[in-house]
């Protein structure tokens, strides 16, 4: 599972170029879930281009609100479903830190999505928490929101250490593998239906380092920010994941 998080980036022109470059670089392989989460306003434009180029890419969004109605500025899960989006990211560290989202509000979002679309829940420790060897405690706290919940089999986690996002720094692949195993165990033992989720790694993944992460048993894919903004580098990463890179 390889997912692009475009954050607040892009334009109609960029998306047009992106689609052409992706198509030129991508080596077909139909077994991997490849997704893009563009800004909401570009969902329709990107969907059209994906159809024009016949690309096997699912469209999703970067966040979701808890309901429809009198909530100025909000977008609900029913709306994104109506636009044929198939997943939403929730709990990204930028939502937690810039927009002050709490574990409680992320839990409410998880409930509002239910099984309407797939959910990718982002968790990860800060540099300080990492330095103090507090990573697993922090992840456990962030995962406490799923306690006792019945989750859909399409529920996934993205492990994104905050200090690795957009910095060029990453944990070592074997450390990521160990954390992913820990996350799978916590989710399995705390959910009401004992699911074992796909766990994606996110934080400075690019086409030069992706293979080192994908080799690890518990790394089921990646959530990619910066390197996903170029169609060519994103397609390269998908090809590497598929074992098709030349
Ligand atoms: P990055 O971002 O790949 O630019 O580090 C990842 C993310 O924030 O999801």
């Amino acid at each position: 599972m390889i997912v692009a998080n475009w954050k607040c980036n892009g334009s109609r022109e960029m998306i047009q170029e992106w689609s052409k470059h992706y198509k030129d670089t991508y080596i077909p392989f139909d077994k991997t879930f490849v997704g893009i989460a563009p800004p909401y306003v570009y969902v329709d434009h990107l969907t059209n281009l994906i159809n024009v180029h016949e690309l096997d890419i699912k469209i999703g969004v970067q966040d979701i609100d808890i309901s429809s109605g009198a909530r100025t500025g909000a977008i609900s899960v029913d709306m994104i479903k109506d636009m044929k989006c198939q997943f939403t990211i929730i709990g990204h560290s930028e939502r937690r830190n810039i927009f002050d989202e709490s574990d409680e509000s992320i839990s409410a979002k998880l409930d509002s999505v239910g099984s309407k679309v797939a959910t990718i829940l982002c968790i990860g420790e800060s540099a300080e928490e990492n330095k103090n060897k507090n990573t697993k405690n922090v992840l456990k706290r962030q995962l406490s929101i799923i306690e006792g919940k019945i989750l859909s089999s399409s529920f996934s986690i993205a492990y994104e250490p905050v200090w690795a996002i957009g910095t060029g720094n990453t944990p070592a692949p074997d450390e990521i593998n160990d954390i992913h195993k820990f996350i799978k165990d916590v989710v399995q033992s705390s959910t009401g239906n004992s699911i074992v989720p796909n766990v994606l790694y996110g934080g400075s993944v690019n086409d030069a380092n992706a293979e080192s992460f994908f080799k690890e048993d518990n790394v089921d894919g990646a959530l990619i920010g910066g390197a996903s903004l170029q169609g060519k580098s994103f397609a390269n990463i998908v090809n590497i994941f598929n074992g098709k890179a030349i």
Side-chain angles (χ1 to χ4, degrees):
M1 192 173 174
I2 306 290
V3 179
N5 173 12
W6 283 357
K7 308 188 180 186
C8 192
N9 292 295
S11 64
R12 290 170 63 84
E13 195 183 337
M14 168 266 183
I15 295 170
Q16 210 137 7
E17 289 300 302
W18 190 101
S19 316
K20 275 191 239 144
H21 293 154
Y22 183 89
K23 190 182 171 76
D24 288 347
T25 312
Y26 172 70
I27 301 165
F29 184 76
D30 60 8
K31 295 194 177 64
T32 301
F33 180 109
V34 179
I36 305 180
Y40 294 117
V41 290
Y42 293 124
V43 162
D44 206 27
H45 183 56
L46 179 59
T47 304
N48 289 338
L49 284 161
I50 279 175
N51 290 338
V52 167
H53 292 294
E54 297 179 334
L55 303 175
D56 183 15
I57 294 181
K58 320 277 191 281
I59 311 285
V61 294
Q62 303 164 17
D63 190 42
I64 200 71
D65 193 27
I66 52 169
S67 73
S68 304
R71 302 180 66 79
T72 301
I75 303 280
S76 71
V77 67
D78 291 331
M79 292 171 184
I80 64 153
K81 223 182 148 191
D82 191 30
M83 293 304 287
K84 308 274 184 277
C85 290
Q86 299 191 34
F87 69 94
T88 182
I89 297 169
I90 58 171
H92 191 279
S93 61
E94 287 152 18
R95 299 295 315 174
R96 295 176 191 261
N97 298 332
I98 304 171
F99 299 95
D100 275 337
E101 286 195 15
S102 62
D103 286 324
E104 290 69 33
S105 68
I106 295 161
S107 175
K109 289 181 178 192
L110 182 59
D111 292 341
S112 87
V113 178
S115 56
K116 288 178 177 171
V117 296
T119 305
I120 302 171
L121 170 66
C122 298
I123 57 174
E125 82 285 2
S126 66
E128 176 90 6
E129 290 159 343
N130 184 274
K131 202 171 112 217
N132 296 334
K133 305 217 174 319
N134 227 347
T135 298
K136 288 186 177 170
N137 289 332
V138 172
L139 299 178
K140 229 173 160 175
R141 192 205 74 227
Q142 291 173 332
L143 286 172
S144 65
I145 66 167
I146 60 172
E147 189 76 48
K149 286 186 179 157
I150 306 290
L151 297 179
S152 128
S153 57
S154 60
F155 172 80
S156 314
I157 301 270
Y159 169 54
E160 301 204 307
V162 180
W163 53 273
I165 295 177
T167 60
N169 301 321
T170 69
D174 62 330
E175 286 168 355
I176 294 173
N177 195 50
D178 174 63
I179 297 285
H180 282 207
K181 176 78 178 84
F182 171 78
I183 291 170
K184 284 172 190 255
D185 289 346
V186 172
V187 175
Q188 186 176 25
S189 62
S190 56
T191 45
N193 51 341
S194 305
I195 62 156
V196 181
N198 277 330
V199 182
L200 315 182
Y201 169 70
S204 297
V205 176
N206 56 45
D207 49 10
N209 64 16
E211 194 173 5
S212 68
F213 306 127
F214 297 157
K215 275 194 197 141
E216 300 291 335
D217 286 349
N218 293 298
V219 175
D220 302 311
L223 180 59
I224 302 156
S228 74
L229 293 171
Q230 309 287 334
K232 186 173 163 46
S233 62
F234 187 66
N236 274 334
I237 296 170
V238 175
N239 291 341
I240 292 166
F241 186 76
N242 291 338
K244 299 266 177 209
I246 312 157

